[in-house]
Amino acid sequence: MTNQEFREEASKLFNKVEYINENSGFISAFLELHHLKGIDKPFYSLTLRIDQYKTKDTFLYTSTGSGDTARTILEMHQVLDAVIEGVKEVVR
């Protein structure tokens, strides 16, 4: 995955995190994007944390240098989609 593709996926994830934080009082989502200088070339890292009431429910990390970047980003999307569905159920 290229750095550009990684940033595009991060942008989609940020939109989901923003929705959760704006519409839920019982779950907080945090997404951190870092640009780091590696030995050979710069790379990005992405950390997703979801805290439910009194628990730390989910913690996922990946970077452009990881072998499983695409799979982990897909997992991040799936986790956030499930949380969004839960938030929508509570809001209704």
Side-chain angles (χ1 to χ4, degrees):
M1 177 175 286
T2 66
N3 284 346
Q4 179 63 32
E5 292 168 329
F6 193 85
R7 289 191 312 268
E8 289 170 4
E9 288 301 318
S11 179
K12 294 173 191 175
L13 291 167
F14 274 114
N15 290 336
K16 292 178 181 185
V17 165
E18 184 176 53
Y19 176 86
I20 291 167
N21 290 330
E22 288 179 354
N23 293 285
S24 173
F26 57 94
I27 296 176
S28 297
F30 305 92
L31 188 67
E32 297 176 359
L33 176 66
H34 295 279
H35 185 251
L36 305 166
K37 295 186 180 201
I39 295 171
D40 297 332
K41 60 183 179 179
F43 67 97
Y44 287 92
S45 71
L46 193 60
T47 304
L48 172 66
R49 189 179 94 216
I50 299 174
D51 295 337
Q52 293 186 8
Y53 182 70
K54 294 189 178 183
T55 65
K56 186 180 289 182
D57 186 48
T58 304
F59 186 84
L60 296 167
Y61 170 84
T62 193
S63 71
T64 52
S66 298
D68 61 349
T69 302
R71 182 191 59 77
T72 304
I73 288 177
L74 176 61
E75 187 176 351
M76 289 177 174
H77 278 292
Q78 291 170 340
V79 166
L80 289 171
D81 289 342
V83 171
I84 288 170
E85 285 305 311
V87 168
K88 287 179 179 178
E89 287 296 318
V90 171
V91 172
R92 287 183 210 172

